[in-house]
Amino acid sequence: MINTCISLFVAMSLHTGLEGDYNGIHPHVRCEINNTITGVYYNSEKTISGYAGYKFDMLFDSELEVGVVTGYSGMKIAPMIRFTKDNWYVAPSYEVTPNRNWGITIGYEFKIK
């Protein structure tokens, strides 16, 4: 059998504090090697995003993912930060239209393969 870094996920998300109508289902492909993460997913704006970053181990079996992401209307390359624990995640979110708002994305991600 071939050994690979590739994992398949599906995430479900809820966007709070924002006015827009956002996609809440996110198929996701990730490669993780020694806490370095790269991947692509179907994002909240219904386009494809690519990202690269690093995953830090935190207290209480949680993790902090920090990096950059593409595919959003607000900017070509945006900072990415996501706190995860037991398949749950929380991330700051930002929208440009209809107004400039900050919010929080809360989600659950499960691994398919």
Side-chain angles (χ1 to χ4, degrees):
M1 181 168 189
I2 298 173
N3 197 7
T4 179
C5 69
I6 301 294
S7 297
L8 303 174
F9 299 88
V10 173
M12 297 171 285
S13 65
L14 174 66
H15 302 81
T16 62
L18 304 177
E19 296 177 16
D21 181 26
Y22 294 100
N23 171 46
I25 305 294
H26 314 284
H28 179 185
V29 177
R30 170 179 276 194
C31 175
E32 182 177 335
I33 301 172
N34 298 328
N35 287 21
T36 299
I37 55 175
T38 58
V40 294
Y41 63 97
Y42 186 63
N43 71 27
S44 300
E45 294 183 352
K46 302 175 184 165
T47 62
I48 301 296
S49 283
Y51 68 90
Y54 193 81
K55 185 168 70 171
F56 297 92
D57 293 329
M58 305 290 287
L59 296 174
F60 309 110
D61 295 323
S62 61
E63 298 170 335
L64 183 67
E65 298 174 354
V66 178
V68 293
V69 63
T70 66
Y72 288 97
S73 60
M75 58 182 72
K76 291 183 187 247
I77 299 175
M80 173 190 83
I81 186 165
R82 186 171 92 145
F83 176 79
T84 66
K85 177 164 177 55
D86 297 332
N87 295 61
W88 290 95
Y89 64 89
V90 176
S93 51
Y94 177 79
E95 69 183 352
V96 176
T97 56
N99 295 308
R100 296 181 188 272
N101 294 316
W102 286 94
I104 299 291
T105 300
I106 301 166
Y108 185 82
E109 184 173 62
F110 56 94
K111 188 174 185 176
I112 296 172
K113 176 185 177 234

